[in-house]
Amino acid sequence: MDAMTENIKRKEERKSHADIVFSTNNLVKAFGGQVILNDISFNIRKGEVVLLRGENGSGKTTLVNILTGNLEPDRGEIHININGDKEVFIWPRPWWKEINPLDHFTPERLAWEGIGRVWQDIRLFPTMTALENVVVASPEQSGENPVLALFSKKAKKENRQNTKKSSEWLSMLGLGDRLDSSCDKISLGQMKRVAIARAIQAGAKILFLDEPLSGLDKEGISEVMGYLETLAKKNSITLVIVEHVFNIPTVLKLANTVWTLSNGKLMINKSDETIDDKTKEVNPF
């Protein structure tokens, strides 16, 4: 191998490593002595779209709960490098980290790092408008202080900026004409898009989506998939999608990586290795 080829290879390796925004090493989780997750290791890259699949009870929800800070593993490591500030969490955690109130592994902590989640049951504020549901998620709002909200020009300026940005996200997701609609008066597909916009407004660069296509008709599925493609390809939002078996072929059209959980182990494939190009059929598990 000549010097030029070697330099090109090194640059490609550095770039590939720099694109990694989230990784785990040997995660283990057990309940009552039963191992649910066994030595789970992976890398997630910026703008990647991952499909997470597996049989009911395979541990998909447990894995997502750990990756979003809702549950701690028994052993292993999580490395986060989304906004340029590297964070490393290692288990078992030493006792002095447990007494540090600023160093706990929580959903709030991971949200600050750029990790968001859209739940299957959506969890919007039903009597607030679509726009209000998104604006309220804006981080570091001075207006959260009642005094500043009433008297600070900075807080009012921030609110205008947050409202503008929230409106832009909703418009990009096809909801520009529903900004002032109460969230208990819009369709399920529209509610799912509001939840996605809210997570991104909160600063999510990696977005975990729990069955985003469930309950939608053919048109709704097509719309949501189109918007997810825009987020991944034009906005470099990394997506990890957990979806029902019947919608897996649809998600595979967008996903470039497939995680399959089985017997506590995680198998990782590129999507073109799991789909037959002629029939577009896939073994769901």
Side-chain angles (χ1 to χ4, degrees):
M1 184 181 296
D2 58 43
M4 181 176 293
T5 303
E6 181 67 26
N7 287 335
I8 292 174
K9 183 179 178 181
R10 289 176 179 174
K11 288 181 179 179
E12 289 177 348
E13 289 176 348
R14 286 196 296 269
K15 183 179 184 300
S16 177
H17 185 73
D19 285 343
I20 296 174
V21 291
F22 194 105
S23 63
T24 68
N25 292 322
N26 308 115
L27 291 182
V28 174
K29 185 64 181 179
F31 295 103
Q34 180 178 359
V35 177
I36 305 300
L37 303 175
N38 189 6
D39 288 330
I40 304 296
S41 300
F42 60 78
N43 294 320
I44 300 178
R45 288 176 165 80
K46 183 178 181 180
E48 190 171 9
V49 180
V50 178
L51 166 65
L52 172 58
R53 64 185 183 177
E55 296 179 344
N56 290 338
S58 62
K60 300 188 300 296
T61 300
T62 298
L63 179 58
V64 172
N65 281 340
I66 290 174
L67 302 182
T68 54
N70 292 276
L71 186 67
E72 291 193 9
D74 300 324
R75 177 167 60 82
E77 300 179 6
I78 290 179
H79 297 249
I80 303 172
N81 187 21
I82 299 175
N83 298 313
D85 298 323
K86 295 183 179 180
E87 287 277 3
V88 179
F89 299 92
I90 300 175
W91 291 270
R93 290 176 63 103
W95 65 268
W96 62 85
K97 285 186 175 292
E98 294 299 329
I99 64 175
N100 182 352
L102 302 178
D103 194 31
H104 289 177
F105 185 75
T106 63
E108 296 82 5
R109 174 78 177 276
L110 267 61
W112 280 109
E113 297 295 337
I115 296 172
R117 182 173 184 176
V118 175
W119 300 78
Q120 185 179 357
D121 56 358
I122 307 178
R123 305 188 182 189
L124 297 178
F125 299 109
T127 59
M128 293 172 61
T129 68
L131 182 58
E132 289 169 342
N133 264 277
V134 178
V135 174
V136 75
S138 305
E140 299 184 274
Q141 298 187 69
S142 300
E144 292 178 357
N145 182 311
V147 176
L148 293 178
L150 290 173
F151 304 108
S152 171
K153 292 182 179 180
K154 178 183 177 182
K156 294 177 181 179
K157 180 180 179 181
E158 284 181 355
N159 186 61
R160 289 194 297 270
Q161 292 172 338
N162 291 333
T163 300
K164 181 176 182 294
K165 189 62 180 177
S166 298
S167 176
E168 290 171 354
W169 282 123
L170 286 168
S171 296
M172 193 195 75
L173 292 170
L175 295 171
D177 60 341
R178 303 308 301 266
L179 300 180
D180 296 323
S181 297
S182 172
C183 280
D184 58 359
K185 299 294 193 299
I186 60 178
S187 70
L188 177 62
Q190 291 169 337
M191 291 171 65
K192 288 178 182 282
R193 282 182 269 159
V194 173
I196 291 170
R198 182 171 65 178
I200 298 171
Q201 178 67 14
K205 298 294 189 300
I206 300 177
L207 188 56
F208 291 84
L209 301 111
D210 191 357
E211 297 194 13
L213 306 182
S214 66
L216 301 182
D217 58 17
K218 185 176 180 180
E219 182 179 355
I221 289 174
S222 178
E223 288 180 350
V224 170
M225 287 303 300
Y227 295 127
L228 291 179
E229 182 175 10
T230 298
L231 291 176
K233 295 184 176 180
K234 294 186 178 180
N235 298 93
S236 297
I237 303 293
T238 301
L239 306 176
V240 179
I241 304 172
V242 183
E243 191 48 78
H244 189 274
V245 58
F246 296 114
N247 290 319
I248 283 178
T250 301
V251 177
L252 279 169
K253 296 175 184 178
L254 176 61
N256 42 43
T257 303
V258 178
W259 295 351
T260 305
L261 262 177
S262 180
N263 297 319
K265 295 289 187 178
L266 184 69
M267 183 174 65
I268 301 175
N269 297 99
K270 294 300 180 182
S271 60
D272 57 4
E273 296 173 350
T274 61
I275 305 177
D276 184 297
D277 288 331
K278 293 181 181 179
T279 63
K280 295 299 180 183
E281 294 179 349
V282 60
N283 179 355
F285 305 120

